[in-house]
Amino acid sequence: MKVDNSPARGMRDLLPAEVATRDHVLSTITEVYRSYGYQRIETPALEDITRLQGGQGGENEKLIYQVLRRGLPPEVEPRSILADLVDLGLRFDLTVPLTRFYGNNHAQLPTPFRALQVGPVWRAERPQKGRYRQFYQCDIDMIGEPGVLAEAELIEATTSALAAVGLDNVTVRLSDRRFLTAVATDSGLPEACWDKFFIALDKLDKISWDGVRAELAKTEMPAEAVAAALDKIAALQDTPTGKLLDVLADALPSVPQQSLDDFAATTASLDLLAEERSLAWQFDPTLVRGMGYYTGQIYEIAHPESSSSVAGGGRYDQLIGRSLGKDVPACGFSIGFERIVNLLGQQARHDALAILVEPDVPVAAALSAARELRHDSRTVEVVRRSGKLGAQLKRLEAASFGSFVILQLADGVVVRSDERELETSTRTSNDHPR
């Protein structure tokens, strides 16, 4: 019988060069986040299924990989209820596990607590380019800070991390769930319809305004209220930044003044940051963020070379209360790690040195040379010389080596060549180093 050795659909094997790029990106991002005081934590891949299906994960709750209970017999009774057979699920993001973590460990944590998480998450997506069933997320969260210091710092730290890996000229798109609530309220949309309305609006970038209207027309929502809400949102688009707060106050009478003040503080911070860094910001009234747990400001980061956002997040002041029994202010930002790696391609090289050893060089001498060159945590690999030098150098460059030296015997003495850059040498090399 032929064995299928391919990975599960929507999941991937990663080659060494790909992993080297990912490691470089991850270490760079982590270093930036740690400079802001974010501390690395870890949570299990599996969570209680009732927590994952608590109604706060939006559409992602339909994509959970569910795990059967231990001890089930090989066959179960006909018409068995799935909920009776499942007790765990693979996490679909890092935020829901974080809230449980904080609820269990808050007495041992500082306030505010700056959390950094990196790890795989799983969603039963339909496999397609750029969308995987297993992928990495890189999150930072600030828990216990009620003011916009959290939003402003999270945005600054994340744009700093993106700039550090080479993604400049980003645009921060901003909105606030309280603005959307005011749109629904002032349009006469019943509160029971809000979630379905926001879910449809969140698909705008995929199905256009016509698609959103068509989807909402199939529901039982009051048609006049839906039309009024969509008209309000469309009218707020492209509002000049200098008039934005006044326009919002006039267009949305029920919007809390505090949300306007918070928004002004965040955008003032972004204006100052934009004087020092290549970034821009814009108000986007169509921004929803699919998760149902957001309670305040929400934001995404767009890059001109990506059709989808490369990072996103927002404030979720009520989610931790499900674990702790009382609400705790919280705010987070998640980097789309896979999208960033795809954007960078193989740009992120690691500074590895190859020691090319001629066959007659003793092994002990080769390893001694490697020890001498392996300083400051530099990666040094001993590689046997084989074939034409030019072809071998091209293979090393493809494997993300940055430079090389050659060890050979001359009159019974081991001689080491000068270190040379691979990128230049692959264009000029022949069978003998110059």
Side-chain angles (χ1 to χ4, degrees):
M1 183 178 68
K2 184 178 180 180
V3 177
D4 184 3
N5 289 320
S6 61
R9 291 185 62 201
M11 302 183 186
R12 302 164 293 160
D13 292 327
L14 297 170
L15 297 173
E18 296 173 300
V19 174
T21 298
R22 295 165 72 88
D23 286 347
H24 170 80
V25 173
L26 188 55
S27 64
T28 302
I29 291 172
T30 300
E31 183 178 355
V32 171
Y33 281 157
R34 282 179 170 156
S35 73
Y36 280 80
Y38 291 87
Q39 302 177 65
R40 179 84 181 271
I41 67 167
E42 291 190 3
T43 58
L46 291 168
E47 291 284 341
D48 188 281
I49 193 66
T50 57
R51 180 174 300 279
L52 294 175
Q53 294 177 333
Q56 297 298 312
E59 293 289 284
N60 290 323
E61 292 192 11
K62 301 176 182 178
L63 305 176
I64 297 172
Y65 281 105
Q66 301 183 39
V67 180
L68 294 175
R69 296 176 183 272
R70 290 189 61 191
L72 288 175
E75 295 185 11
V76 297
E77 295 294 327
R79 301 184 182 277
S80 295
I81 299 174
L82 181 61
D84 295 334
L85 306 178
V86 170
D87 60 354
L88 298 172
L90 286 170
R91 63 191 182 195
F92 55 76
D93 75 354
L94 298 177
T95 303
V96 174
L98 172 65
T99 63
R100 178 198 47 74
F101 170 92
Y102 187 82
N104 291 344
N105 300 287
H106 66 281
Q108 306 170 55
L109 301 173
T111 300
F113 175 52
R114 290 173 167 85
L116 165 60
Q117 295 185 90
V118 177
V121 298
W122 293 265
R123 297 177 190 173
E125 297 267 15
R126 179 178 300 168
Q128 54 187 298
K129 184 178 180 181
R131 299 187 76 88
Y132 310 108
R133 290 179 170 177
Q134 176 181 311
F135 56 96
Y136 264 69
Q137 285 191 340
C138 183
D139 288 13
I140 52 172
D141 294 81
M142 190 184 300
I143 302 176
E145 170 53 55
V148 291
L149 166 66
E151 283 89 341
E153 181 182 287
L154 287 165
I155 294 171
E156 179 176 335
T158 300
T159 54
S160 296
L162 294 176
V165 298
L167 294 183
D168 291 311
N169 300 313
V170 298
T171 299
V172 181
R173 299 164 55 220
L174 294 167
S175 190
D176 194 308
R177 273 297 183 100
R178 292 169 292 184
F179 297 164
L180 291 171
T181 297
V183 166
T185 300
D186 296 339
S187 301
L189 197 64
E191 187 171 353
C193 301
W194 290 0
D195 285 346
K196 289 183 179 179
F197 177 80
F198 295 150
I199 288 172
L201 181 62
D202 195 37
K203 300 176 183 177
L204 177 62
D205 60 339
K206 299 182 181 69
I207 62 177
S208 77
W209 279 110
D210 289 340
V212 171
R213 291 189 178 93
E215 183 163 319
L216 291 171
K218 299 175 184 177
T219 69
E220 297 179 357
M221 299 184 203
E224 291 185 3
V226 168
L230 293 178
D231 288 345
K232 282 182 180 292
I233 292 169
L236 289 172
Q237 288 185 297
D238 302 321
T239 302
T241 56
K243 300 179 180 179
L244 180 57
L245 294 178
D246 290 337
V247 169
L248 284 170
D250 290 341
L252 306 174
S254 67
V255 71
Q257 182 61 43
Q258 185 63 54
S259 65
L260 296 173
D261 294 342
D262 291 347
F263 201 76
T266 301
T267 56
S269 176
L270 276 169
D271 285 336
L272 193 59
L273 186 62
E275 295 176 6
E276 306 172 13
R277 189 178 303 158
S278 179
L279 63 80
W281 70 268
Q282 67 180 48
F283 171 62
D284 184 354
T286 70
L287 185 62
V288 175
R289 301 288 300 157
M291 303 301 188
Y293 48 63
Y294 291 119
T295 59
Q297 289 186 34
I298 48 179
Y299 30 76
E300 290 185 350
I301 296 180
H303 187 271
E305 295 181 18
S306 176
S307 59
S308 303
S309 63
V310 296
R315 179 168 286 277
Y316 53 95
D317 284 349
Q318 298 171 4
L319 187 56
I320 291 176
R322 296 170 55 203
S323 299
L324 196 56
K326 62 178 181 179
D327 287 344
V328 177
C331 205
F333 218 140
S334 179
I335 279 181
F337 183 76
E338 308 294 345
R339 291 174 183 171
I340 291 171
V341 170
N342 289 340
L343 278 176
L344 294 173
Q346 295 298 321
Q347 295 178 28
R349 300 171 54 83
H350 68 88
D351 184 26
L353 169 67
I355 300 180
L356 299 180
V357 182
E358 295 289 356
D360 53 356
V361 174
V363 170
L367 295 179
S368 177
R371 285 196 300 275
E372 183 181 342
L373 293 169
R374 195 177 283 122
H375 53 76
D376 298 328
S377 301
R378 188 180 192 187
T379 299
V380 177
E381 292 188 30
V382 178
V383 180
R384 187 180 299 278
R385 264 287 291 122
S386 63
K388 292 186 176 181
L389 178 61
Q392 187 169 22
L393 295 184
K394 288 180 180 178
R395 292 195 298 271
L396 291 172
E397 186 178 22
S400 296
F401 284 88
S403 56
F404 72 98
V405 299
I406 294 179
L407 286 189
Q408 53 191 346
L409 277 180
D411 298 327
V413 178
V414 177
V415 179
R416 187 176 78 202
S417 70
D418 294 333
E419 183 174 333
R420 297 178 60 192
E421 295 280 334
L422 267 166
E423 186 176 359
T424 301
S425 300
T426 52
R427 294 196 298 266
T428 61
S429 63
N430 51 34
D431 282 343
H432 300 283
R434 297 181 181 180

